[in-house]
Amino acid sequence: MTHAFDREAATIVAQMTISEKLDLVCGNGLWRTTGVPRLGLPSLLMVDGSNGLRVVPDQISADAQNADLGAFLDAVDTTDDPENRDSNVLLGKSVPATCFPALSVLANSWDIALAHEIGEALAIECRAAGAQILLGPGINLRRSPLAGRGFEYFSEDPILTGEMAAGVIRGLQDKAVGASLKHFACNNSEVERISMDSVVEPRALHELYFLGFERAIARSNPWTVMTSYNRLNGVQTSQNPWLLRGILRGRWHYDGAIMSDWHGIQDLPAALKAGNDLDMPFNAARRRRLENAVLNGNVPETTLDEACTHIAALTLRIVDAQHRLPVSRPDFTAHHDLARKAASRACVLLSNKNDILPLAPKSGKRLLVIGTGAVSPEIQGAGSAAVRPIRCDIPLDCLKATAPEGVSIHWEPGWSANGDHDAHRQDAALAAARTAETVIVFASTAPCVSGENADRPDLNLCPAHDRLIAELTKIHDRIVVVLPHPDAVVLPWADNVQAILSAGYAGAGLGQAIADILLGHANPSGKTSVTWPVRLEDCPAFLGYPGEQGTHLYREGIFVGYRFFDIRHIQPLFPFGHGLSYTSFTYDALELTTAADDVTVRFTLSNTGARAGWEVCQLYLGRSPAAPNRALPHHPLRALKGFATVYLEPGESRVVDMTLSRRDLAYFDTVREDWTVPAGTVHVEIGTSSRDIRLSAPLHVTGDATAARWLTLHTPPGQALEVPGVQDDLVTWLADVTGQSIAETETRLAPCRRSFLGVYDTLCWSFGLELDEIRLTQILDDANRRSGARKPGHRPDHSSELDPS
């Protein structure tokens, strides 16, 4: 630990009794830490909700030392009664708060400053509720659109994920509320999440599933990190010393507090030794087992002290921050306006044939709105992220209030209240459509189908919604579909409607944001944060999801999201980074300038349309595929490395600068167990999506030295002979053994390079002798030492490494 409160925290811990130390690492009830009042350490209150506060006063009791199961399950309740969602036991007891867009929707803005602004607003509401820590943001990759909590996470890409998360975290902590970056790591499904073993290869771990955490930590230093429920490569994450001490604290130098997810620790003594500081919530049995382990010496008191010091330092840091920044009363009106702005910026215009949008209905014209979602909007997902909104815009009301005077807006439900087919309502909607100028359909997935502890069974909308849209396309040629949804969905009618607007779970401002975009008061600028597949079978994780017999194999490796669609040449429904605008942008004059280890990427962006608007400029690194007959590392054909969100007035141009660091050019080398830059030519690409590249320029990269492979008797001789010094040593030895000259031995050795057998078997066969295995092993071991090769399975100690970021 390195921050300013370490020394004071260590002094306090030195004065604590064993009982006080045990209490400090074991939590207090369901939502608090245990303070040490006599030493000036108060209790800290934590609350759920990355898109808004979920505060349930009945669950925040200092007396609830062993919080009952019912209270815990209330935190993740997902009612199956869509008619009575507002009477959900959780939301009915929670304190009203601003409901901002889900993180999956916020990510569509690609706007770090907007994320920071929302983080600040969340912090203000936290402070008003008496909370010191917000349990978020969640940044697990959206590996599969089936994942129940996908709407809580930013993206399928770690760069977009890490940057947006850092924005939220900085906003929270700038206003003196600690963030808890979660869930570390590979909690990418809700199926058997407390016991499922996520089996992930090293490159995918470092290049994808760890990178978002690493980047967010480097950019924002979250005050806490939360471990996940699952096992990772056989070890529970909360009890994994390689993950917590080796990667999080060692390689990344993280100095904050590490806490468990709720009841996520199965063996508290093992978790404490692995580096998990805080067990949440309080559990008497776990505390007793830890006390026994400390008293019998199985857990050294120094290990307990280390965890206590992290928690005490966290407490001191929060007390100091909140003392320096007095609490302010939330301006809920301003926060609702911010929720509207965020929803407007993050909704994605997926298609817009013949520029049907924005609508410009004239007086006397009739618009038809279809769908229960227009009057009872699905603004958020279910589970621990659910918020009781203090206010909510109703789309139908907002459309009526925003439409020009004299325009008639009629509504038909189209289907039953729970989204099922209703023949009478469908027929009424079809009849009404025949006399309407434009039809706006609010279609969605089944209510509460996705959430905590609930993965989706498929990617379909409600069958009744698909059915009605298909019928509408037969009788009408001006159909606009608005989609509230948890993650990517399949749209069998996509080619037959004129416009599709993705709202996702856009929060309490959804209604006005939709009205503003449809009627032209706002220019859509959102870009997809995941790839939308044509069908479920096209998804990278399809064959291995969600695992079986307690094991979940991440079979796609490093090819997640658009990386998979690219390498397999699969056409997505909508590519990663895609989104349309009511204006147009051009990209020109790409220049690359190299200085030291950085490359400055410069180009000119111009708004060539008639409206002001935001554009998301995306920087990708393109590589050629590896030759299929060579055992070289494979790379994605294209990978996001940065982005810039730019606002331009009509006719305005701006020079945009972005930077590629040497780390951006690297991949994780499993031989070195570290990041390595391969030599060669790559392409720096600027695009408006992963499939729409506007500018490209070659970049010649001087790579790192090739990592030496560990040589054994079974290494093919062609590989062994490429290692400097091996050929000379072998020739000298073989000439001595056979009595041949150096030249004769070299001639006889040359064909051995083509052998696919091991070096020992090849040499014995080629030279007609049974050679000394011990001597050959010594020659190869000498080469391993000279080259610095690492034996397979060796994990280096990163405790003293510099931060690779």
Side-chain angles (χ1 to χ4, degrees):
M1 296 178 66
T2 59
H3 60 70
F5 304 99
D6 299 349
R7 187 172 300 173
E8 184 180 355
T11 300
I12 290 173
V13 171
Q15 302 173 64
M16 292 169 59
T17 65
I18 289 290
S19 181
E20 287 171 333
K21 294 175 183 178
L22 292 168
D23 288 342
L24 188 60
V25 301
C26 287
N28 179 10
L30 197 58
W31 299 110
R32 292 186 181 275
T33 64
T34 302
V36 188
R38 74 179 185 87
L39 297 176
L41 281 186
S43 171
L44 300 176
L45 173 63
M46 311 174 196
V47 293
D48 259 329
S50 296
N51 62 302
L53 269 65
R54 192 185 64 80
V55 181
V56 185
D58 290 352
Q59 296 176 359
I60 304 172
S61 169
D63 298 327
Q65 281 292 298
N66 211 351
D68 63 278
L69 179 63
F72 171 64
L73 293 179
D74 279 354
V76 296
D77 178 66
T78 54
T79 180
D80 58 4
D81 181 4
E83 299 273 11
N84 294 292
R85 275 173 291 173
D86 290 339
S87 64
N88 177 310
V89 65
L90 164 63
L91 298 185
K93 294 180 179 179
S94 62
V95 174
T98 305
C99 182
F100 293 101
L103 297 185
S104 60
V105 177
L106 180 60
N108 294 339
S109 74
W110 297 59
D111 191 331
I112 301 168
L114 179 61
H116 185 277
E117 197 174 352
I118 287 177
E120 288 186 322
L122 288 169
I124 291 170
E125 295 193 21
C126 278
R127 295 286 303 277
Q132 291 82 37
I133 296 174
L134 184 128
L135 300 173
I139 67 166
N140 296 103
L141 285 194
R142 289 159 66 189
R143 172 177 172 254
S144 168
L146 292 175
R149 298 182 78 175
F151 63 86
E152 292 188 50
Y153 307 138
F154 288 99
S155 175
E156 69 187 26
D157 184 88
I159 299 298
L160 178 57
T161 292
E163 294 289 349
M164 290 295 290
V168 173
I169 293 166
R170 288 195 300 268
L172 283 165
Q173 296 180 171
D174 285 351
K175 294 294 184 181
V177 170
S180 188
L181 188 64
K182 65 183 184 182
H183 309 85
F184 191 55
C186 297
N187 189 171
N188 303 102
S189 165
E190 295 300 290
V191 176
E192 299 180 24
R193 57 183 174 152
I194 199 69
S195 57
M196 187 66 76
D197 185 10
S198 299
V199 179
V200 192
E201 66 180 38
R203 276 194 68 189
L205 275 178
H206 288 274
E207 293 183 23
L208 295 174
Y209 300 101
F210 287 174
L211 184 55
F213 285 93
E214 180 184 3
R215 200 163 182 112
I217 288 168
R219 299 285 195 271
S220 64
N221 191 26
W223 295 349
T224 76
V225 168
M226 183 189 296
T227 54
S228 56
Y229 281 126
N230 55 289
R231 291 180 291 154
L232 176 60
N233 293 337
V235 183
Q236 211 80 36
T237 60
S238 61
Q239 299 158 205
N240 190 328
W242 172 77
L243 181 68
L244 303 184
R245 294 191 182 276
I247 300 299
L248 184 56
R249 294 226 187 269
R251 187 184 284 270
W252 301 343
H253 300 279
Y254 177 67
D255 66 358
I258 303 173
M259 70 168 70
S260 72
D261 203 342
W262 267 230
H263 295 291
I265 289 178
Q266 299 179 10
D267 183 339
L268 184 51
L272 209 70
K273 289 193 287 187
N276 206 116
D277 303 314
L278 178 60
D279 177 18
M280 289 297 296
F282 176 81
N283 179 274
R286 290 199 295 269
R287 186 194 184 282
R288 173 179 47 79
R289 289 193 286 268
L290 178 60
E291 181 175 19
N292 291 339
V294 172
L295 294 178
N296 67 26
N298 185 42
V299 173
E301 190 172 350
T302 53
T303 300
L304 179 60
D305 289 349
E306 177 191 38
C308 288
T309 302
H310 287 135
I311 299 169
L314 168 68
T315 306
L316 294 171
R317 170 185 262 171
I318 290 176
V319 168
D320 176 75
Q322 297 200 344
H323 174 73
R324 288 186 288 105
L325 186 68
V327 64
S328 60
R329 184 175 181 178
D331 184 342
F332 288 109
T333 299
H335 288 184
H336 185 74
D337 288 343
L338 175 59
R340 282 178 171 174
K341 180 177 81 170
S344 179
R345 290 287 312 285
C347 287
V348 182
L349 184 57
L350 296 171
S351 68
N352 189 24
K353 295 178 183 175
N354 300 317
D355 292 329
I356 186 176
L357 296 179
L359 300 175
K362 293 182 171 54
S363 179
K365 294 297 183 180
R366 185 169 179 268
L367 301 181
L368 173 63
V369 178
I370 297 175
T372 53
V375 296
S376 181
E378 191 94 0
I379 65 171
Q380 61 182 329
S384 63
V387 179
R388 183 183 178 189
I390 199 168
R391 178 179 169 190
C392 183
D393 293 342
I394 304 303
L396 182 63
D397 294 343
C398 294
L399 283 166
K400 289 180 176 179
T402 308
E405 186 176 350
V407 173
S408 170
I409 297 181
H410 178 68
W411 174 72
E412 289 288 346
W415 40 74
S416 67
N418 64 2
D420 290 342
H421 176 67
D422 182 307
H424 174 73
R425 288 184 170 184
Q426 176 173 300
D427 290 345
L430 291 171
R434 289 183 169 87
T435 60
E437 179 189 43
T438 304
V439 179
I440 303 169
V441 184
F442 284 77
S444 64
T445 56
C448 299
V449 69
S450 180
E452 189 157 9
N453 208 34
D455 279 4
R456 282 194 284 171
D458 54 51
L459 301 185
N460 302 325
L461 300 180
C462 294
H465 300 197
D466 281 336
R467 178 175 176 175
L468 178 51
I469 293 171
E471 292 299 317
L472 284 167
T473 62
K474 297 175 183 178
I475 63 171
H476 212 291
D477 61 0
R478 287 179 59 85
I479 299 170
V480 177
V481 180
V482 179
L483 295 171
H485 56 94
D487 207 321
V489 288
V490 294
L491 307 176
W493 37 259
D495 290 337
N496 301 320
V497 300
Q498 282 61 56
I500 304 171
L501 182 64
S502 166
Y505 287 156
L510 174 146
Q512 190 60 53
I514 294 298
D516 287 342
I517 291 172
L518 294 183
L519 294 168
H521 295 276
N523 188 354
S525 59
K527 303 277 189 176
T528 55
S529 51
V530 292
T531 306
W532 287 46
V534 173
R535 55 182 193 147
L536 176 61
E537 291 82 356
D538 291 340
C539 295
F542 176 73
L543 289 177
Y545 196 91
E548 57 188 43
Q549 303 296 321
T551 299
H552 189 169
L553 299 176
Y554 285 44
R555 295 177 177 175
E556 70 279 9
I558 63 171
F559 296 101
V560 172
Y562 64 90
R563 294 164 168 82
F564 178 85
F565 283 80
D566 288 347
I567 203 78
R568 295 292 303 275
H569 301 288
I570 298 172
Q571 183 63 38
L573 182 61
F574 301 109
F576 174 77
H578 167 75
L580 304 178
S581 171
Y582 294 156
T583 191
S584 56
F585 297 94
T586 60
Y587 293 73
D588 295 294
L590 177 61
E591 297 178 0
L592 307 182
T593 304
T594 301
D597 285 340
D598 291 340
V599 179
T600 298
V601 181
R602 173 171 292 178
F603 59 93
T604 300
L605 178 72
S606 302
N607 183 345
T608 54
R611 298 185 54 139
W614 294 87
E615 173 69 334
V616 178
C617 309
Q618 302 159 38
L619 169 61
Y620 294 91
L621 192 68
R623 296 186 190 273
S624 300
N629 61 343
R630 298 198 65 193
L632 296 174
H634 284 256
H635 302 285
L637 300 184
R638 178 173 294 121
L640 184 74
K641 297 300 178 181
F643 55 92
T645 307
V646 182
Y647 180 82
L648 294 177
E649 294 289 341
E652 183 182 4
S653 296
R654 185 176 302 172
V655 174
V656 180
D657 285 335
M658 290 190 269
T659 302
L660 277 172
S661 69
R662 189 163 179 82
R663 169 63 183 273
D664 291 325
L665 306 175
Y667 75 101
F668 191 82
D669 188 330
T670 56
V671 175
R672 280 195 172 97
E673 287 279 343
D674 210 343
W675 293 90
T676 301
V677 176
T681 299
V682 298
H683 285 85
V684 176
E685 302 174 334
I686 304 296
T688 189
S689 83
S690 64
R691 291 288 178 98
D692 187 358
I693 302 302
R694 301 294 180 88
L695 301 171
S696 179
L699 176 66
H700 303 289
V701 179
T702 302
D704 298 325
T706 303
R709 297 179 64 166
W710 184 264
L711 304 181
T712 72
L713 297 176
H714 306 292
T715 301
Q719 294 177 9
L721 291 169
E722 288 179 358
V723 176
V726 169
Q727 174 156 328
D728 291 342
D729 289 348
L730 285 179
V731 168
T732 300
W733 172 55
L734 290 169
D736 182 62
V737 170
T738 61
Q740 295 177 330
S741 68
I742 295 295
E744 290 172 326
T745 304
E746 288 176 339
T747 300
R748 201 160 183 180
L749 183 62
C752 295
R753 288 180 176 273
R754 301 194 303 272
S755 174
F756 58 84
L757 300 176
V759 63
Y760 178 76
D761 289 338
T762 300
L763 294 179
C764 289
W765 194 353
S766 297
F767 285 85
L769 296 172
E770 184 177 343
L771 297 169
D772 184 350
E773 292 183 42
I774 295 176
R775 178 60 187 132
L776 180 56
T777 299
Q778 289 172 344
I779 291 173
L780 298 178
D781 283 348
D782 288 342
N784 288 331
R785 281 191 290 274
R786 289 196 304 267
S787 67
R790 291 195 177 104
K791 194 172 185 178
H794 168 76
R795 291 195 185 277
D797 177 14
H798 295 288
S799 59
S800 61
E801 284 187 0
L802 294 175
D803 189 336
S805 298

